[in-house]
């Protein structure tokens, strides 16, 4: 009979996610994470499996709490341009308020794992491409609802938005000022015809 876990598994995954976000995948070895969680390597493997397995779980936790998570839910309850304006504003705020300037775990991992780890590199790349596809779906909804012109090139616009999202996450490692980050984002949103004044901003 297996021994009961001596730690809160969800809290442990959260802690592991923070460690990987802070230090990167390669530096978050089984030894390093085990010591951080105060468990043995044996307990680590019993609880999480491989380091790759733990990374996948940690990434799922990160995606659920990321400031752009709202874009990947069900049907939005507001006009798409408002949703995009509000979401990019939240991203700028979250990145500027991070005292460690960690940026985005997914984008950091894409840069690190693309050539280091075939399976995880492909997984992260697919997640980024899925994000672009989701943005395109949202823009199609906006066209259908009359929020954007029928001739809008939603594919090109989605690619531009995904590029903006990646750029902000990287730029925020150097530029720490929220208003400057928002100036960057809002200028692009205005150029794309997506910016909407938001009374809740």
């Amino acid at each position: 009979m297996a021994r009961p876990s001596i730690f809160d598994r969800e809290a442990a995954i959260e802690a592991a996610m923070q460690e990987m976000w802070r230090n990167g995948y390669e530096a978050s070895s089984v030894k390093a994470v085990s010591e951080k969680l105060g468990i043995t390597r044996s307990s680590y493997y019993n609880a999480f499996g491989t380091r790759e397995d733990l990374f996948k779980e940690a990434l799922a936790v990160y995606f659920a709490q990321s400031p752009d998570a709202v874009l990947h839910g069900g049907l939005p309850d507001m006009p798409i341009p408002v949703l995009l304006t509000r979401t990019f504003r939240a991203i700028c705020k979250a990145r500027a308020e991070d005292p460690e300037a960690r940026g985005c775990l997914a984008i950091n991992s894409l840069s690190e794992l693309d050539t280091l780890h075939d399976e995880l590199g492909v997984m992260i790349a697919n997640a980024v491409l899925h994000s672009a596809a989701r943005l395109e779906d949202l823009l199609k909804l906006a066209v259908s609802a009359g929020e954007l012109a029928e001739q809008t090139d939603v594919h090109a616009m989605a690619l531009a938005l995904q590029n903006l999202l990646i750029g902000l996450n990287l730029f925020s490692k150097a530029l720490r000022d929220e208003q400057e980050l928002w100036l960057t984002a809002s200028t692009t949103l205005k150029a794309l015809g997506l910016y909407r004044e938001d009374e809740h901003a």
Side-chain angles (χ1 to χ4, degrees):
M1 179 175 178
R3 292 183 302 170
S5 176
I6 60 172
F7 61 96
D8 183 327
R9 192 175 187 282
E10 289 186 6
I13 293 172
E14 170 73 25
M17 182 271 288
Q18 295 291 341
E19 189 74 5
M20 292 175 174
W21 190 6
R22 182 179 300 109
N23 299 317
Y25 175 82
E26 192 63 18
S28 302
S29 64
V30 172
K31 179 177 184 293
V33 174
S34 296
E35 290 176 352
K36 185 75 174 180
L37 298 178
I39 61 175
T40 65
R41 291 193 189 194
S42 176
S43 294
Y44 176 107
Y45 289 118
N46 287 335
F48 307 119
T50 65
R51 180 166 59 145
E52 290 83 356
D53 292 334
L54 177 56
F55 176 77
K56 291 173 184 178
E57 288 198 65
L59 191 65
V61 170
Y62 174 81
F63 281 145
Q65 58 187 244
S66 177
D68 65 329
V70 65
L71 298 178
H72 301 279
L75 291 176
D77 59 357
M78 66 186 76
I80 301 302
V82 173
L83 174 67
L84 292 170
T85 300
R86 189 175 295 182
T87 300
F88 275 94
R89 187 76 190 241
I91 291 167
C92 293
K93 180 178 176 63
R95 297 298 174 241
E97 289 182 348
D98 181 359
E100 298 179 84
R102 292 170 296 176
C104 170
L105 173 60
I107 301 307
N108 296 348
S109 300
L110 178 63
S111 300
E112 180 185 9
L113 296 173
D114 181 48
T115 57
L116 181 67
H117 194 296
D118 289 343
E119 179 191 353
L120 295 181
V122 169
M123 183 189 76
I124 292 290
N126 285 340
V128 172
L129 294 175
H130 174 76
S131 176
R134 172 59 177 168
L135 286 168
E136 185 168 343
D137 288 341
L138 290 173
L139 293 170
K140 288 176 181 177
L141 288 175
V143 171
S144 296
E147 298 162 5
L148 295 174
E150 288 188 9
Q151 65 269 29
T152 299
D153 187 340
V154 293
H155 180 66
M157 190 175 285
L159 293 177
L161 285 174
Q162 185 63 37
N163 189 56
L164 173 61
L165 181 58
I166 293 170
L168 281 174
N169 284 315
L170 289 173
F171 198 20
S172 65
K173 289 175 168 289
L175 182 64
R176 309 307 323 288
D177 184 88
E178 179 185 346
Q179 293 307 312
E180 290 290 284
L181 289 173
W182 176 233
L183 178 62
T184 303
S186 61
T187 299
T188 301
L189 292 174
K190 288 173 183 176
L192 293 172
L194 290 170
Y195 177 84
R196 299 292 187 274
E197 293 290 344
D198 184 1
E199 61 184 18
H200 298 289

